[in-house]
Amino acid sequence: MAPQPLRVPPHLGIAHFASFPVEWPRRLVLGWSPQSVCTACGQGRRRVPVAFGLDTSRPQTRRALELVREHGLTEAHLAALRAAGLSDTPRAIDTQGRTAVHEHPGRELVVEARAALGGYAREFLLSRATEFADACDCADPSAASVPGVVLDPFGGTGTTALAAAVHGRRAISLDASRDYCRLATWRVHDPRQQARARGTHQAPEAVPHAA
């Protein structure tokens, strides 16, 4: 990741030359912090695939689809197969003992699908998702949600808080230095800093009001 110099406005009276680039916390925020949290179950909502595209120009894919029809496999079989992944091989089922694979709720469906498809099961495991939906552990997908929260207990100049705020999370930044807290507050609310954090064009510099 390229360094990202921080130019602090003179009126803040703070100098800091070692802030890390926004790209670092941006990847963490987008990868591990849910954008919304369900108010019914308390779980973060995440993007889950709901439709998959298969390359039917491949003869292996066409044969896999034929086997699905011949054996009467359902979408539940294929969903369980994808959830189990490549690690749930027939040999693993026989030799690994009580593992997470065995305790998968769709294990029986996985066994049936693998028995029917054999090596062609790989065609469904390697298929690419084409549609996504936000989901949590709640049975009611219409339940309200609140923004996810990102806490940085050593906030410094507010780089993490800035990355969280521009990507729709609630940002909480703590620091023992009052000066750094002022600096972080400025960064999170400054249009130019927000634009840089989003990777978009920079917003025009704010014109100070006359005293």
Side-chain angles (χ1 to χ4, degrees), residues 92-115:
I93 293 175
D94 295 334
T95 63
Q96 286 180 355
R98 290 187 59 79
T99 64
V101 169
H102 285 69
E103 296 167 2
H104 189 278
R107 180 179 180 275
E108 295 302 323
L109 296 176
V110 174
V111 173
E112 292 174 6
R114 285 197 175 277

Tab-separated table of all heavy atoms in Angstrom, residues 92-115:
chain	number	residue	atom	x	y	z
A	92	ALA	N	-12.920	-37.800	3.313
A	92	ALA	CA	-12.973	-37.040	4.562
A	92	ALA	C	-14.163	-37.485	5.404
A	92	ALA	O	-14.066	-37.587	6.626
A	92	ALA	CB	-13.061	-35.545	4.265
A	93	ILE	N	-15.283	-37.749	4.755
A	93	ILE	CA	-16.468	-38.192	5.487
A	93	ILE	C	-16.183	-39.504	6.225
A	93	ILE	O	-16.628	-39.710	7.348
A	93	ILE	CB	-17.666	-38.368	4.531
A	93	ILE	CG1	-18.093	-37.008	3.987
A	93	ILE	CG2	-18.832	-39.065	5.214
A	93	ILE	CD1	-19.171	-37.088	2.948
A	94	ASP	N	-15.381	-40.381	5.613
A	94	ASP	CA	-15.110	-41.685	6.209
A	94	ASP	C	-14.023	-41.649	7.274
A	94	ASP	O	-14.003	-42.478	8.172
A	94	ASP	CB	-14.701	-42.676	5.113
A	94	ASP	CG	-15.838	-42.953	4.141
A	94	ASP	OD1	-17.005	-42.811	4.562
A	94	ASP	OD2	-15.562	-43.285	2.980
A	95	THR	N	-13.069	-40.712	7.173
A	95	THR	CA	-11.868	-40.800	7.996
A	95	THR	C	-11.665	-39.682	8.999
A	95	THR	O	-10.897	-39.843	9.939
A	95	THR	CB	-10.613	-40.838	7.094
A	95	THR	OG1	-10.539	-39.609	6.355
A	95	THR	CG2	-10.666	-42.005	6.142
A	96	GLN	N	-12.338	-38.547	8.868
A	96	GLN	CA	-11.994	-37.409	9.707
A	96	GLN	C	-12.664	-37.419	11.076
A	96	GLN	O	-12.297	-36.636	11.937
A	96	GLN	CB	-12.348	-36.094	8.993
A	96	GLN	CG	-11.381	-35.769	7.877
A	96	GLN	CD	-11.752	-34.474	7.186
A	96	GLN	OE1	-12.788	-33.877	7.483
A	96	GLN	NE2	-10.912	-34.037	6.270
A	97	GLY	N	-13.638	-38.268	11.317
A	97	GLY	CA	-14.301	-38.257	12.612
A	97	GLY	C	-15.266	-37.103	12.740
A	97	GLY	O	-15.718	-36.540	11.749
A	98	ARG	N	-15.576	-36.713	13.976
A	98	ARG	CA	-16.547	-35.650	14.210
A	98	ARG	C	-15.866	-34.303	14.008
A	98	ARG	O	-15.163	-33.800	14.882
A	98	ARG	CB	-17.146	-35.749	15.606
A	98	ARG	CG	-18.063	-36.947	15.770
A	98	ARG	CD	-18.759	-36.897	17.117
A	98	ARG	NE	-19.552	-35.687	17.261
A	98	ARG	CZ	-20.758	-35.523	16.727
A	98	ARG	NH1	-21.299	-36.467	15.984
A	98	ARG	NH2	-21.431	-34.403	16.932
A	99	THR	N	-16.070	-33.724	12.868
A	99	THR	CA	-15.521	-32.417	12.554
A	99	THR	C	-16.664	-31.501	12.176
A	99	THR	O	-17.819	-31.894	12.140
A	99	THR	CB	-14.530	-32.505	11.370
A	99	THR	OG1	-15.264	-32.911	10.210
A	99	THR	CG2	-13.435	-33.514	11.637
A	100	ALA	N	-16.295	-30.238	11.883
A	100	ALA	CA	-17.309	-29.274	11.460
A	100	ALA	C	-18.020	-29.751	10.199
A	100	ALA	O	-19.194	-29.466	9.979
A	100	ALA	CB	-16.670	-27.907	11.238
A	101	VAL	N	-17.296	-30.481	9.349
A	101	VAL	CA	-17.904	-30.999	8.127
A	101	VAL	C	-19.042	-31.960	8.471
A	101	VAL	O	-20.131	-31.900	7.918
A	101	VAL	CB	-16.838	-31.702	7.265
A	101	VAL	CG1	-17.500	-32.474	6.136
A	101	VAL	CG2	-15.861	-30.686	6.707
A	102	HIS	N	-18.772	-32.856	9.439
A	102	HIS	CA	-19.782	-33.834	9.808
A	102	HIS	C	-20.995	-33.175	10.442
A	102	HIS	O	-22.115	-33.665	10.312
A	102	HIS	CB	-19.176	-34.848	10.793
A	102	HIS	CG	-18.263	-35.821	10.136
A	102	HIS	ND1	-17.057	-35.452	9.616
A	102	HIS	CD2	-18.393	-37.159	9.919
A	102	HIS	CE1	-16.464	-36.521	9.101
A	102	HIS	NE2	-17.248	-37.572	9.278
A	103	GLU	N	-20.767	-32.107	11.169
A	103	GLU	CA	-21.850	-31.464	11.882
A	103	GLU	C	-22.608	-30.455	11.030
A	103	GLU	O	-23.509	-29.784	11.514
A	103	GLU	CB	-21.284	-30.776	13.133
A	103	GLU	CG	-20.690	-31.786	14.117
A	103	GLU	CD	-19.853	-31.110	15.177
A	103	GLU	OE1	-19.774	-29.861	15.146
A	103	GLU	OE2	-19.285	-31.804	16.023
A	104	HIS	N	-22.244	-30.327	9.772
A	104	HIS	CA	-22.947	-29.410	8.888
A	104	HIS	C	-24.403	-29.838	8.788
A	104	HIS	O	-24.715	-31.028	8.598
A	104	HIS	CB	-22.287	-29.439	7.496
A	104	HIS	CG	-22.793	-28.374	6.593
A	104	HIS	ND1	-23.963	-28.515	5.891
A	104	HIS	CD2	-22.312	-27.151	6.286
A	104	HIS	CE1	-24.172	-27.426	5.178
A	104	HIS	NE2	-23.179	-26.588	5.405
A	105	PRO	N	-25.355	-28.897	8.920
A	105	PRO	CA	-26.772	-29.277	8.952
A	105	PRO	C	-27.251	-29.958	7.677
A	105	PRO	O	-28.230	-30.690	7.695
A	105	PRO	CB	-27.500	-27.934	9.170
A	105	PRO	CG	-26.516	-26.889	8.767
A	105	PRO	CD	-25.180	-27.443	9.108
A	106	GLY	N	-26.583	-29.737	6.555
A	106	GLY	CA	-27.003	-30.366	5.307
A	106	GLY	C	-26.143	-31.546	4.923
A	106	GLY	O	-26.042	-31.880	3.742
A	107	ARG	N	-25.533	-32.207	5.911
A	107	ARG	CA	-24.585	-33.279	5.595
A	107	ARG	C	-25.219	-34.398	4.774
A	107	ARG	O	-24.620	-34.897	3.829
A	107	ARG	CB	-24.000	-33.861	6.882
A	107	ARG	CG	-23.003	-34.996	6.620
A	107	ARG	CD	-22.405	-35.548	7.910
A	107	ARG	NE	-21.467	-36.605	7.615
A	107	ARG	CZ	-21.806	-37.876	7.438
A	107	ARG	NH1	-23.071	-38.228	7.520
A	107	ARG	NH2	-20.890	-38.790	7.174
A	108	GLU	N	-26.448	-34.798	5.137
A	108	GLU	CA	-27.091	-35.882	4.394
A	108	GLU	C	-27.306	-35.488	2.941
A	108	GLU	O	-27.150	-36.305	2.026
A	108	GLU	CB	-28.415	-36.254	5.056
A	108	GLU	CG	-28.270	-36.842	6.452
A	108	GLU	CD	-27.391	-38.091	6.447
A	108	GLU	OE1	-27.477	-38.869	5.463
A	108	GLU	OE2	-26.636	-38.295	7.407
A	109	LEU	N	-27.666	-34.220	2.714
A	109	LEU	CA	-27.844	-33.743	1.344
A	109	LEU	C	-26.513	-33.748	0.597
A	109	LEU	O	-26.464	-34.068	-0.599
A	109	LEU	CB	-28.441	-32.331	1.350
A	109	LEU	CG	-29.854	-32.192	1.924
A	109	LEU	CD1	-30.270	-30.724	1.952
A	109	LEU	CD2	-30.847	-33.002	1.100
A	110	VAL	N	-25.440	-33.395	1.313
A	110	VAL	CA	-24.113	-33.400	0.691
A	110	VAL	C	-23.737	-34.810	0.261
A	110	VAL	O	-23.245	-35.031	-0.855
A	110	VAL	CB	-23.062	-32.837	1.667
A	110	VAL	CG1	-21.662	-32.980	1.075
A	110	VAL	CG2	-23.352	-31.381	1.980
A	111	VAL	N	-23.963	-35.779	1.141
A	111	VAL	CA	-23.632	-37.174	0.825
A	111	VAL	C	-24.422	-37.641	-0.392
A	111	VAL	O	-23.880	-38.284	-1.307
A	111	VAL	CB	-23.907	-38.070	2.048
A	111	VAL	CG1	-23.742	-39.543	1.674
A	111	VAL	CG2	-22.976	-37.707	3.198
A	112	GLU	N	-25.715	-37.312	-0.438
A	112	GLU	CA	-26.540	-37.725	-1.567
A	112	GLU	C	-26.066	-37.065	-2.861
A	112	GLU	O	-26.001	-37.720	-3.919
A	112	GLU	CB	-28.005	-37.354	-1.307
A	112	GLU	CG	-28.649	-38.146	-0.179
A	112	GLU	CD	-30.046	-37.642	0.149
A	112	GLU	OE1	-30.543	-36.748	-0.589
A	112	GLU	OE2	-30.647	-38.130	1.129
A	113	ALA	N	-25.741	-35.780	-2.789
A	113	ALA	CA	-25.302	-35.061	-3.992
A	113	ALA	C	-23.979	-35.613	-4.509
A	113	ALA	O	-23.811	-35.814	-5.719
A	113	ALA	CB	-25.175	-33.573	-3.687
A	114	ARG	N	-23.053	-35.890	-3.600
A	114	ARG	CA	-21.758	-36.420	-4.044
A	114	ARG	C	-21.892	-37.828	-4.617
A	114	ARG	O	-21.200	-38.180	-5.575
A	114	ARG	CB	-20.767	-36.405	-2.886
A	114	ARG	CG	-20.251	-35.006	-2.573
A	114	ARG	CD	-19.000	-35.064	-1.729
A	114	ARG	NE	-18.455	-33.736	-1.530
A	114	ARG	CZ	-17.673	-33.095	-2.378
A	114	ARG	NH1	-17.362	-33.670	-3.529
A	114	ARG	NH2	-17.211	-31.894	-2.109
A	115	ALA	N	-22.767	-38.615	-4.032
A	115	ALA	CA	-22.979	-39.968	-4.555
A	115	ALA	C	-23.538	-39.920	-5.971
A	115	ALA	O	-23.190	-40.744	-6.821
A	115	ALA	CB	-23.913	-40.741	-3.626
